[in-house]
Amino acid sequence: MEQVVELKEMGEGIIRIKMQDRVSKNTFSMELIAGLADAFKTIRNEPRYKVVILTGYDNYFASGGTQDQLLALADGKAKFTESDLYSMALNCPIPVISAMQGHGIGGGFAMGLFADFVVLSRESFYTTNFMKYGFTPGMGATFILPKKLGISLAQEMLLTAKNYRGEELQMRGIPFPVVPREQVLEHALELAETLVEKPRASLIALKDHLVAPLREGLPAVIEQEVMMHDKTFGQPGVKDRISTLFGR
């Protein structure tokens, strides 16, 4: 059986994290969460690595919370802060490239945006679909989307919960490369190869400096998102929406 999260060296100093939970279509299953935590821990403790490429499999990058997780949130039995998926790339000491070759859905899209570099696929869908179910966004989405996409597009994505193809986002002027799906990993590798030419200590020092405002500002927004969840998950109809609309 293939690993749900696979680590593979892609060249000197370059390590790829491949999310491939085919059973759950890369929703945040317990196996995927544990695998990502182990992968980033391994990378943190390995001084040979200079850059990480985070990617998915086939048509899926990351698909957000499972249906059971969303229902547990609605019942007040869980909080998304029980794992730090949303901040793993941000807190990784070395640069992380999100090679989003497949769909990025809900918290999965937000997680990818916390990387230092982002590459999208023209054909894939990207969405922050929290409001589709009637509850407000989590996973730091209300923080990272305005930072990375601009306030106007971020508000539209968060409030409408619409699906956007990568090609459409490219036309809207997002500041990331958008390439055909089969070229996403190749593009990420070319970028990684320009990074590994630099000394690891310098990469770490500069990343620490560049992302310091994000690391400092994120906790307060996470608290606000949790407070909004306390208000919105318990509304009438939310559990019904999760039960009937999930996966559509």
Side-chain angles (χ1 to χ4, degrees):
M1 293 179 62
E2 66 182 8
Q3 294 175 304
V4 168
V5 175
E6 176 193 69
L7 278 176
K8 182 178 179 180
E9 295 187 11
M10 304 295 288
E12 187 174 355
I14 303 172
I15 184 71
R16 184 191 70 184
I17 301 175
K18 184 177 182 180
M19 300 176 286
Q20 50 187 8
D21 190 340
R22 297 174 187 272
V23 173
S24 75
K25 296 182 178 178
N26 275 0
T27 53
F28 294 150
S29 65
M30 297 307 295
E31 294 81 6
L32 188 68
I33 293 171
L36 284 171
D38 287 345
F40 276 104
K41 182 178 179 181
T42 297
I43 290 165
R44 179 177 291 275
N45 294 329
E46 179 47 72
R48 291 182 297 127
Y49 301 143
K50 294 184 178 181
V51 59
V52 180
I53 297 175
L54 177 66
T55 194
Y57 77 93
D58 296 348
N59 295 347
Y60 294 96
F61 173 71
S63 304
T66 68
Q67 188 177 48
D68 286 344
Q69 288 166 344
L70 298 184
L71 289 171
L73 288 167
D75 286 332
K77 297 177 179 178
K79 294 186 183 297
F80 73 86
T81 51
E82 290 171 2
S83 70
D84 61 347
L85 273 177
Y86 53 88
S87 60
M88 285 182 181
L90 178 65
N91 290 327
C92 183
I94 58 177
V96 178
I97 303 168
S98 280
M100 290 200 241
Q101 89 306 326
H103 308 314
I105 300 169
F109 183 49
M111 179 183 72
L113 292 182
F114 275 102
D116 304 285
F117 301 91
V118 176
V119 185
L120 300 185
S121 155
R122 287 180 186 167
E123 305 92 328
S124 298
F125 285 109
Y126 304 98
T127 178
T128 47
N129 61 343
F130 307 90
M131 291 285 280
K132 166 184 171 181
Y133 303 110
F135 60 84
T136 49
M139 295 289 291
T142 63
F143 179 75
I144 200 62
L145 262 74
K147 297 287 188 184
K148 293 296 182 76
L149 303 180
I151 187 65
S152 179
L153 180 57
Q155 285 186 332
E156 180 182 317
M157 293 188 75
L158 291 165
L159 285 165
T160 67
K162 286 171 50 180
N163 293 337
Y164 298 77
R165 285 197 185 274
E167 186 175 25
E168 181 181 356
L169 293 175
Q170 184 178 37
M171 293 174 63
R172 297 287 296 271
I174 64 167
F176 311 130
V178 182
V179 299
R181 178 177 291 136
E182 65 272 13
Q183 295 178 21
V184 169
L185 184 57
E186 177 186 355
H187 192 97
L189 277 168
E190 291 175 357
L191 176 57
E193 287 166 358
T194 67
L195 293 169
V196 296
E197 298 171 355
K198 284 74 176 176
R200 184 174 187 271
S202 298
L203 290 170
I204 292 173
L206 184 54
K207 173 170 178 172
D208 280 343
H209 173 72
L210 292 173
V211 304
L214 297 180
R215 288 173 176 168
E216 291 168 6
L218 179 60
V221 176
I222 294 297
E223 288 184 14
Q224 293 167 351
E225 289 185 345
V226 170
M227 291 173 61
M228 286 193 292
H229 277 185
D230 291 341
K231 295 177 180 179
T232 61
F233 258 109
Q235 297 177 99
V238 169
K239 288 182 68 175
D240 288 340
R241 284 171 177 259
I242 295 170
S243 298
T244 58
L245 298 178
F246 188 87
R248 293 186 181 180

